[in-house]
Amino acid sequence: MTDKIGKLDLRVKFFTSLGKYGTIIALAAMILCFGLVLPPFRSIENLQNLLGQLAILSIFAAGMTCPLKMADFDLSIGAIAAITGIVVSKVLIAGYGIPIGIGCGLLTGVVIGLVNGLLVAYVELSAFVCTLATMSVILGGAMAITKGISIWNVPAAFAFIGRGDLFGVPNRFLVMIGLLFLLWFFHAYTPTGRRMEAIGGNPDASQMSGINVAFNRLLGFVLSGFCSAIAGIVLMSAVMSANPTMGSTYLLDAFGACFIGAATVRIGQFHIWGTLVGVLIVVVAINGLIIMMVPGYYTSMIQGVILLLAVVLSSTGRRLLRK
Amino acid sequence: MKKVNHLMPTNQETILEAKGIVKDFPGQRALDRVDFDVRLGEVHGLVGENGAGKSTLIKIIAGLYQADQGEIFIDGKRREIKNPRDSRDLGLAFIYQELNIVPHLSVAENIFLGRYPLNRFKFVSRARMVEMVKEIPDALTVGADLQMPAGGLSIIQQWKTIINRALALNSRIIFMDEPTSSLTHEEVNELFRSIAHLKSTGKAIVYVSHRMEEVFRIADRVTVIRDARKVGTASIGDMNRGKIYQMMLGRELRDIFPPRDPPQDRVLLEVKNLSRGQVVKNVSFQLRSGEILGLAGLVGAGRTELARMLFGAERKDAGEVFIEGQRVNIETTKDAIHRQIALVPEERRRDGLVLPMDVKQNITLASLKKLWRWVKIPVLSHSKESEAARPFFESVAIKASGMDQQVALLSGGNQQKVVLSKWLCCEAKILIFDEPTRGIDVGAKFAIYQLITDLARRGTGIILISSDLTEVVGLAHRVLVMEKGRIKANLSEADLETVLQLCLGDDAACGGASGPEATA
């Protein structure tokens, strides 16, 4: 019996020491390898390129972390980004100023998040099914608005968000850093953030401690919708066009990043900095593969493997710690 | 209390005698010179708190553990029991909580597990097996087709199957370890009839339990074990509940329950005609400042539901709640906490604690407002968090490596103290405790009793729900007895015997209201 406990101890120790930083070590190792072996990887252009790619995925993933913290999935993030991009471009083309355009875009995300949240937290639908459905509805709406044709004639002034830079640092990277800090502060230092953390740990006990669980879950979806809208705006500004499918590729990567995050430092819990580590791993891996000229279909396979690995790491870690 | 069937006299010969049994586990002595004897035709109750050493003793007699010292005599002859086969050959049978039933084998196959009759082709003969069941002397009627898979049996039928297995082996002593933990009231009665039947055929039964009521109903003699030592063996006629409780806990009743002050006159809480469906019907009562109000009754009497309704965790159909004379509307737990009502729930790991969070975060969870760094801006301050949690962490004496230890790693008693601290931190005036000592070891129990009494002394109104009658009677100023959702009695002079009788009624089964509950 003591042997068994000893073994379990060892396994827990493994996960709490090496396991805790395993993802970070893996990231460092990957950057080191690519940096040494692939000269193009360490070029300034590629670095800028990396930061740019990092930005959009991070914004998506950070938003997704909010409902995930409370064990709610949001599959509609890509669709929200797409519809936001379309709304903003339409408003800009109609001649309204950039602030109004951005405002309308953010409002779109918040409203959709609100709908998701109401359906999941108050009507008590399964988050997975519900956001899958809203995703389809939004995409359908986006198709109807655009008639399936990409919007190209966005006013050139709007490009500063997605393409501009400040002393060589891409503006969108700055947007991302700002948002991440805000979310981190929100989760770590506000009562609402603390309540969300408690709900993630035990929704029943949270309810029995006077926390309005439904409202906080609703808020999680609103945050996710808001972040997705920002991602949509940045993305639209980067490609200077909008179409209904533009956000869809980010969904899987964002999930992967979040689950890698849940296997980082605080095992089994979703948190912003962990998610950032996850995003870095995903982006660096794909970037390296592209530089190595690995054909695109393999990258998709590898993305899937990363997601699987991340889920395995975060859930086994949590299981072990629960014992 | 009625006792079932005392047909057989019990002054019979001793068939098993264990002398001076010592067993050491790393770091602790599990049994310290324990003597134990069993006579033919008796039901011998072996009682003690969880962890007292009952199971260790049984496992040594079964041959699952080896004693470090001591001897075992069967029919006066010294015997070495090295493994379960030895004990089986000596006529001892053991039935543990997890019934050893193979679900996809038939009832008959389960009875003859591993000792199947063969036909002339050396195949298992199922027909022969069914006949052999009929040949078992004094076998119990399982009440099911012997050919059906045993997995489809009810728990009580599984019990009978296993008892028949013991009978088929010609066992003379049948040890039953906490048999009633998964049985319904009706099944408990059924099991007791079976035990009476076994006794009438001259078998001895050793009945291991921490539920006093059951032991009182069926045992002829009782042996109490506490902290690895035998406290004593006595004939049940010479015992009463108070005495056994005292032997199990090792203190006089008046030392177990700290002295309490009389309640104040000020009425804190008044409930009028609170109802919900069939669960809670027309419940009205008052709670005074400094009063400990016991809520007794069987499991399912509506006590937990009443508590959850008062706390806003369940809706109510009708009824009014007044706090200090003012009518209040409590729809959610948030409303209740705002009115300074709090509930220490029965399932503390599920409803009381956020396990991945640390001690101080759990303590401050319901009073986050205290942690604001500035008055008007909702930003948490970590120093204020520690400041807010520390007084309770210390006064309640939570044993943890520090306030930043995860609550998942604390013992049951300390987890309960964290839940309590959470409510003290938000200054609850009315505290409802639902089974506060369930699954908590003896030492921590006393600490919880002390805390409850201290709170009352400082003017908190306390509602105490417990299935441990001695606990209710020992702590409460007044006891309400609930049955089927109604308040059946309001006892101001809560004397133990009256409460017992009202709770258990005439045909009382024992599953619910029983002795010290320590099931985890």
Side-chain angles (χ1 to χ4, degrees):
Chain A
M1 209 171 106
T2 40
D3 265 15
K4 207 173 150 193
I5 290 170
K7 230 185 231 163
L8 194 67
D9 257 9
L10 215 68
R11 275 155 71 193
V12 169
K13 264 191 195 134
F14 171 79
F15 267 97
T16 45
S17 53
L18 184 101
K20 262 169 109 168
Y21 302 102
T23 53
I24 298 175
I25 295 167
L27 174 64
M30 204 157 64
I31 292 175
L32 205 69
C33 286
F34 286 161
L36 286 176
V37 180
L38 306 171
F41 180 81
R42 50 177 194 261
S43 68
I44 294 289
E45 294 78 42
N46 190 50
L47 198 67
Q48 276 180 328
N49 175 24
L50 267 177
L51 291 184
Q53 286 177 12
L54 192 65
I56 294 170
L57 184 56
S58 294
I59 296 169
F60 271 120
M64 188 186 246
T65 305
C66 301
L68 265 182
K69 261 181 125 60
M70 291 171 282
D72 286 326
F73 287 93
D74 188 351
L75 301 181
S76 65
I77 55 163
I80 294 176
I83 192 92
T84 305
I86 289 163
V87 166
V88 175
S89 56
K90 285 271 180 195
V91 171
L92 291 177
I93 290 164
Y96 295 97
I98 290 175
I100 292 182
I102 291 177
C104 289
L106 295 179
L107 195 67
T108 310
V110 168
V111 168
I112 297 172
L114 210 61
V115 172
N116 277 335
L118 282 172
L119 289 174
V120 173
Y122 287 91
V123 187
E124 296 180 12
L125 304 182
S126 137
F128 202 88
V129 177
C130 171
T131 54
L132 193 64
T134 49
M135 174 179 91
S136 177
V137 172
I138 298 164
L139 286 182
M143 286 290 187
I145 294 172
T146 58
K147 310 272 183 304
I149 305 159
S150 291
I151 301 168
W152 287 102
N153 47 345
V154 183
F158 194 64
F160 79 96
I161 301 175
R163 293 184 178 174
D165 62 82
L166 193 71
F167 309 117
V169 182
N171 282 344
R172 52 178 160 166
F173 182 75
L174 298 175
V175 171
M176 163 206 127
I177 290 292
L179 188 70
L180 254 54
F181 262 102
L182 271 176
L183 283 176
W184 162 76
F185 183 82
F186 171 76
H187 287 302
Y189 284 98
T190 67
T192 311
R194 174 64 61 82
R195 289 188 200 106
M196 287 185 173
E197 181 101 32
I199 293 167
N202 185 348
D204 294 324
S206 302
Q207 183 79 49
M208 294 290 277
S209 300
I211 293 172
N212 189 339
V213 173
F215 177 74
N216 281 286
R217 287 176 71 192
L218 169 91
L219 215 57
F221 282 102
V222 171
L223 280 172
S224 162
F226 180 75
C227 292
S228 306
I230 294 180
I233 292 168
V234 173
L235 184 59
M236 194 272 276
S237 162
V239 294
M240 286 305 276
S241 79
N243 71 66
T245 57
M246 63 195 245
S248 56
T249 50
Y250 288 93
L251 182 62
L252 200 68
D253 287 343
F255 261 112
C258 287
F259 277 90
I260 292 171
T264 304
V265 186
R266 285 155 58 197
I267 308 286
Q269 284 171 293
F270 295 92
H271 50 116
I272 297 295
W273 299 130
T275 298
L276 179 62
V277 172
V279 171
L280 279 164
I281 288 181
V282 172
V283 169
V284 169
I286 294 172
N287 183 269
L289 292 174
I290 291 171
I291 292 172
M292 285 189 285
M293 310 252 225
V294 175
Y297 31 87
Y298 289 119
T299 48
S300 171
M301 268 174 68
I302 286 161
Q303 278 167 288
V305 171
I306 290 176
L307 177 57
L308 273 177
L309 219 65
V311 174
V312 167
L313 275 179
S314 60
S315 58
T316 44
R318 181 163 41 186
R319 247 201 323 278
L320 278 176
L321 286 180
R322 203 181 292 149
K323 280 182 186 162
Chain B
M1 241 14 262
K2 279 195 351 189
K3 287 169 197 162
V4 178
N5 216 338
H6 281 249
L7 289 175
M8 294 291 286
T10 56
N11 53 345
Q12 290 186 343
E13 55 181 307
T14 299
I15 47 173
L16 179 140
E17 194 170 13
K19 279 185 180 167
I21 302 291
V22 174
K23 177 72 187 169
D24 287 314
F25 286 133
Q28 68 166 34
R29 178 154 282 198
L31 288 174
D32 190 4
R33 284 162 291 159
V34 171
D35 300 332
F36 183 65
D37 69 285
V38 181
R39 297 171 189 164
L40 262 186
E42 76 164 348
V43 177
H44 194 136
L46 181 58
V47 302
E49 290 277 291
N50 276 358
K54 306 177 300 245
S55 296
T56 312
L57 178 60
I58 297 302
K59 282 177 180 157
I60 285 172
I61 297 174
L64 285 168
Y65 294 162
Q66 298 303 308
D68 295 326
Q69 286 172 43
E71 302 172 311
I72 294 173
F73 298 86
I74 308 275
D75 295 322
K77 277 192 224 97
R78 179 152 191 257
R79 298 285 190 178
E80 295 280 339
I81 301 177
K82 290 206 163 61
N83 53 48
R85 182 176 290 261
D86 289 347
S87 64
R88 196 183 77 188
D89 294 343
L90 289 166
L92 312 179
F94 299 84
I95 306 177
Y96 300 104
Q97 262 164 301
E98 309 79 33
L99 293 175
N100 186 11
I101 284 274
V102 185
H104 57 267
L105 293 185
S106 74
V107 177
E109 282 169 315
N110 265 286
I111 291 175
F112 295 104
L113 201 63
R115 304 179 305 124
Y116 302 132
L118 303 181
N119 61 18
R120 57 200 159 98
F121 304 110
K122 299 288 176 205
F123 288 125
V124 171
S125 164
R126 295 202 160 70
R128 173 86 192 94
M129 214 177 324
V130 173
E131 271 166 43
M132 278 170 62
V133 173
K134 292 178 190 137
E135 292 162 13
I136 300 172
D138 304 310
L140 300 172
T141 320
V142 174
D145 181 1
L146 294 173
Q147 301 272 33
M148 75 176 265
L153 296 177
S154 70
I155 303 281
I156 185 69
Q157 288 172 328
Q158 295 189 0
W159 263 95
K160 289 179 169 179
T161 304
I162 292 196
I163 292 174
N164 281 340
R165 188 191 291 166
L167 295 174
L169 287 161
N170 279 318
S171 306
R172 290 185 301 161
I173 310 180
I174 301 174
F175 293 78
M176 300 181 182
D177 193 0
E178 301 281 357
T180 57
S181 49
S182 54
L183 296 182
T184 65
H185 293 183
E186 209 26 66
E187 288 177 328
V188 170
N189 289 335
E190 184 77 28
L191 177 69
F192 283 6
R193 280 194 286 277
S194 303
I195 290 177
H197 166 79
L198 292 174
K199 201 173 107 170
S200 69
T201 64
K203 307 284 184 198
I205 289 101
V206 176
Y207 190 92
V208 182
S209 181
H210 65 265
R211 293 182 170 171
M212 241 190 318
E213 304 310 318
E214 299 177 356
V215 175
F216 263 94
R217 272 181 77 192
I218 55 159
D220 300 301
R221 288 197 302 157
V222 57
T223 294
V224 181
I225 293 188
R226 179 192 359 120
D227 294 341
R229 287 201 178 83
K230 172 174 161 177
V231 186
T233 299
S235 160
I236 204 81
D238 303 332
M239 297 291 257
N240 61 39
R241 276 172 197 80
K243 236 185 211 169
I244 295 193
Y245 203 76
Q246 206 174 306
M247 284 165 86
M248 279 169 64
L249 299 183
R251 302 190 185 196
E252 296 277 334
L253 275 183
R254 60 171 187 279
D255 295 335
I256 294 170
F257 300 108
R260 51 180 184 238
D261 294 348
Q264 299 163 18
D265 290 333
R266 192 162 58 98
V267 176
L268 267 185
L269 172 76
E270 180 164 15
V271 175
K272 281 185 184 166
N273 302 319
L274 204 61
S275 297
R276 203 193 83 204
Q278 295 299 304
V279 188
V280 173
K281 296 177 199 157
N282 262 332
V283 168
S284 304
F285 65 88
Q286 285 188 341
L287 176 72
R288 288 167 197 287
S289 175
E291 183 176 38
I292 303 175
L293 178 65
L295 264 185
L298 291 172
V299 170
R303 299 169 304 166
T304 296
E305 291 76 8
L306 174 62
R308 288 175 61 93
M309 279 160 70
L310 284 175
F311 186 56
E314 268 177 39
R315 63 177 180 81
K316 56 177 192 276
D317 289 343
E320 293 175 307
V321 176
F322 298 83
I323 291 177
E324 295 181 309
Q326 204 187 344
R327 190 175 184 281
V328 294
N329 195 16
I330 294 170
E331 298 284 340
T332 63
T333 52
K334 199 176 169 182
D335 297 342
I337 293 164
H338 180 65
R339 303 286 180 186
Q340 291 172 295
I341 301 183
L343 172 67
V344 177
E346 178 178 8
E347 299 272 350
R348 65 183 152 271
R349 288 174 73 89
R350 193 191 66 197
D351 293 335
L353 296 164
V354 181
L355 292 173
M357 283 189 162
D358 64 23
V359 173
K360 60 180 186 305
Q361 287 173 330
N362 268 283
I363 293 178
T364 55
L365 190 58
S367 26
L368 290 175
K369 230 177 170 157
K370 284 191 173 180
L371 314 186
W372 288 24
R373 192 179 297 249
W374 302 287
V375 184
K376 283 195 175 156
I377 309 162
V379 172
L380 300 179
S381 146
H382 288 291
S383 62
K384 283 202 171 174
E385 180 178 58
S386 301
E387 226 172 87
R390 177 146 332 263
F392 306 103
F393 180 73
E394 280 167 2
S395 68
V396 169
I398 295 166
K399 276 187 212 118
S401 62
M403 289 207 300
D404 43 15
Q405 185 168 8
Q406 260 199 341
V407 292
L409 305 171
L410 300 180
S411 71
N414 283 303
Q415 288 185 339
Q416 188 69 299
K417 287 177 180 176
V418 173
V419 179
L420 180 56
S421 302
K422 175 172 72 187
W423 299 132
L424 298 181
C425 189
C426 61
E427 291 152 21
K429 276 189 309 200
I430 299 165
L431 258 173
I432 309 169
F433 288 88
D434 195 356
E435 305 285 359
T437 58
R438 174 163 287 178
I440 286 176
D441 63 73
V442 187
K445 245 182 195 177
F446 298 141
I448 302 276
Y449 294 159
Q450 188 68 52
L451 284 168
I452 291 176
T453 318
D454 287 348
L455 281 170
R457 188 167 295 140
R458 276 183 265 139
T460 310
I462 285 163
I463 299 176
L464 172 71
I465 299 173
S466 175
S467 295
D468 181 344
L469 289 171
T470 322
E471 186 172 289
V472 175
V473 173
L475 286 173
H477 293 99
R478 200 154 62 89
V479 175
L480 301 177
V481 183
M482 281 188 80
E483 191 202 54
K484 291 177 186 155
R486 290 183 195 283
I487 291 186
K488 202 178 173 191
N490 180 348
L491 307 168
S492 46
E493 291 291 325
D495 90 316
L496 184 58
E497 281 308 308
T498 329
V499 177
L500 272 175
Q501 276 154 20
L502 275 164
C503 270
L504 299 171
D506 284 333
D507 239 327
C510 317
S514 61
E517 287 283 346
T519 31

